[in-house]
Amino acid sequence: MITEEYYAEISKRFGNVKRARGNFLYTEKGIRVTDMYLEHGRAILGWGNDNGNSGTSAFLKLKNLINRGLTGSFNTDFQKQLDRAVTDLLGANCKAYIFSSEENLDKAAFSISKKPVSYLPWIGLVCGGAQVSDFECVKIVPPLPWTENIFILAVRDDITTLFFGERHSGSLCGALARSIYDLIAELSKRDETKWFLYDTYLKDYFVRKGPYLYPKMKEENYDAFVKHCLNCNIAISPDYNVPSIVPYGSDKGVFTLLKNNPWKE
């Protein structure tokens, strides 16, 4: 299901989204929808987390930097902060390049490596357990649900590149850096004991790897399952090839409708 169709299905059932907090979307019709798509994982720390910790500080950083007028493309210290954040996340000295197009990022990645890899929180490098030092570059989808068109390419600092990435404001660089440090803070707090709590409700439909849920059903039946979940006030990933995400910290009751109305292929 394409993204526009997916959001149209949400609006058809619930009206527009009026507020987003934690793992939930609060809608015009007064129905709270459990978000397990989380903007393709960009909101994996929550939509402005209610508890005042990891989910909000990146947005507070962004707000404060915008208030300082750091919205231009001039040089600031925040590119270096982003480099340090990516280095701390991956455990190898890296330079962070920002792209507003996944296609452009992929072109840059393949210009310096035949085997660029991706990073997934709580999974690590999606490459069979190798280390960052084994690769020239790593693709990161930042945990900042600000826009779907920001990607980071982390390049080992001993690698010579023929590109400069894109220039972005200090405000965005600072918020991206803060979001990565928010993620680092959460990596040690969330573990298997937090993810498996929901297996009883999800195991018939997904294979779970850490917090990520990969559909078991045939791809041609997946759109029907997406709509069934929406009817149960649950928003999963609209894309068969993009995993849904366990709603960390949510009450198990969010799956009551799905439990009482199971989907069958």
Side-chain angles (χ1 to χ4, degrees), residues 84-96:
R84 288 196 295 270
V86 169
T87 291
D88 290 344
L89 176 67
L90 299 179
N93 290 328
C94 294
K95 171 75 173 176

Side-chain angles (χ1 to χ4, degrees), residues 101-133:
S101 161
E102 189 170 13
E103 180 181 1
N104 289 341
L105 178 143
D106 289 339
K107 287 180 181 178
F110 281 105
S111 74
I112 62 174
S113 175
K114 293 182 179 179
K115 52 178 182 180
V117 296
S118 298
Y119 171 85
L120 281 178
W122 292 281
I123 298 293
L125 298 184
V126 187
C127 57
Q131 302 298 313
V132 174
S133 56

Side-chain angles (χ1 to χ4, degrees), residues 67-98:
N67 287 341
R68 286 166 56 180
L70 296 181
T71 56
S73 57
F74 36 74
N75 291 338
T76 68
D77 292 332
F78 295 105
Q79 175 62 54
K80 293 180 180 178
Q81 286 191 16
L82 182 57
D83 293 342
R84 288 196 295 270
V86 169
T87 291
D88 290 344
L89 176 67
L90 299 179
N93 290 328
C94 294
K95 171 75 173 176
Y97 296 89
I98 302 174

Side-chain angles (χ1 to χ4, degrees), residues 204-205 225 228 232 256-265:
D204 290 340
Y205 312 116
F225 179 60
H228 180 83
C232 296
T256 298
L257 291 177
L258 181 61
K259 177 184 177 183
N260 294 338
N261 185 26
W263 184 79
K264 295 183 179 180
E265 197 163 2

Side-chain angles (χ1 to χ4, degrees), residues 20-54:
R21 290 290 184 272
N23 297 310
F24 300 106
L25 306 176
Y26 296 84
T27 65
E28 276 182 325
K29 294 185 179 180
I31 299 172
R32 188 183 71 171
V33 178
T34 303
D35 187 4
M36 294 170 55
Y37 177 47
L38 294 171
E39 201 75 2
H40 196 164
R42 293 177 187 275
I44 197 166
L45 299 181
W47 292 101
N49 228 340
D50 288 27
N51 56 17
N53 54 34
S54 61

Side-chain angles (χ1 to χ4, degrees), residues 3-265:
T3 303
E4 286 303 316
E5 182 184 352
Y6 175 64
Y7 286 123
E9 290 288 341
I10 291 177
S11 295
K12 181 170 66 176
R13 288 167 174 79
F14 312 111
N16 291 326
V17 175
K18 303 296 287 185
R19 186 164 60 96
R21 290 290 184 272
N23 297 310
F24 300 106
L25 306 176
Y26 296 84
T27 65
E28 276 182 325
K29 294 185 179 180
I31 299 172
R32 188 183 71 171
V33 178
T34 303
D35 187 4
M36 294 170 55
Y37 177 47
L38 294 171
E39 201 75 2
H40 196 164
R42 293 177 187 275
I44 197 166
L45 299 181
W47 292 101
N49 228 340
D50 288 27
N51 56 17
N53 54 34
S54 61
T56 54
S57 66
F59 285 110
L60 181 60
K61 183 81 168 183
L62 180 64
K63 175 179 177 293
N64 289 341
L65 293 177
I66 289 174
N67 287 341
R68 286 166 56 180
L70 296 181
T71 56
S73 57
F74 36 74
N75 291 338
T76 68
D77 292 332
F78 295 105
Q79 175 62 54
K80 293 180 180 178
Q81 286 191 16
L82 182 57
D83 293 342
R84 288 196 295 270
V86 169
T87 291
D88 290 344
L89 176 67
L90 299 179
N93 290 328
C94 294
K95 171 75 173 176
Y97 296 89
I98 302 174
F99 292 87
S100 55
S101 161
E102 189 170 13
E103 180 181 1
N104 289 341
L105 178 143
D106 289 339
K107 287 180 181 178
F110 281 105
S111 74
I112 62 174
S113 175
K114 293 182 179 179
K115 52 178 182 180
V117 296
S118 298
Y119 171 85
L120 281 178
W122 292 281
I123 298 293
L125 298 184
V126 187
C127 57
Q131 302 298 313
V132 174
S133 56
D134 297 326
F135 296 89
E136 291 86 0
C137 58
V138 178
K139 173 182 173 180
I140 301 171
V141 176
L144 180 69
W146 174 255
T147 173
E148 64 177 11
N149 294 319
I150 291 293
F151 301 89
I152 296 173
L153 184 65
V155 180
R156 281 202 341 248
D157 64 0
D158 61 330
I159 302 295
T160 300
T161 63
L162 300 177
F163 57 84
F164 297 97
E166 300 171 2
R167 297 190 68 85
H168 288 275
S169 70
S171 297
L172 180 61
C173 290
L176 289 171
R178 183 68 263 167
S179 73
I180 290 174
Y181 281 121
D182 289 344
L183 174 60
I184 291 171
E186 289 295 312
L187 288 175
S188 61
K189 297 178 183 178
R190 308 183 188 189
D191 56 30
E192 183 63 18
T193 64
K194 307 297 193 300
W195 310 128
F196 86 89
L197 294 174
Y198 311 95
D199 284 357
T200 300
Y201 308 97
L202 300 173
K203 64 182 180 180
D204 290 340
Y205 312 116
F206 298 100
V207 173
R208 183 178 59 78
K209 297 180 181 179
Y212 301 101
L213 301 167
Y214 299 86
K216 286 183 175 181
M217 71 283 301
K218 297 176 182 178
E219 185 169 1
E220 57 263 31
N221 296 330
Y222 186 69
D223 282 5
F225 179 60
V226 171
K227 294 177 182 179
H228 180 83
C229 287
L230 287 175
N231 291 337
C232 296
N233 301 342
I234 298 170
I236 63 172
S237 170
D239 188 332
Y240 183 84
N241 298 302
V242 173
S244 299
I245 298 170
V246 172
Y248 172 78
S250 298
D251 186 274
K252 296 177 185 178
V254 300
F255 296 110
T256 298
L257 291 177
L258 181 61
K259 177 184 177 183
N260 294 338
N261 185 26
W263 184 79
K264 295 183 179 180
E265 197 163 2

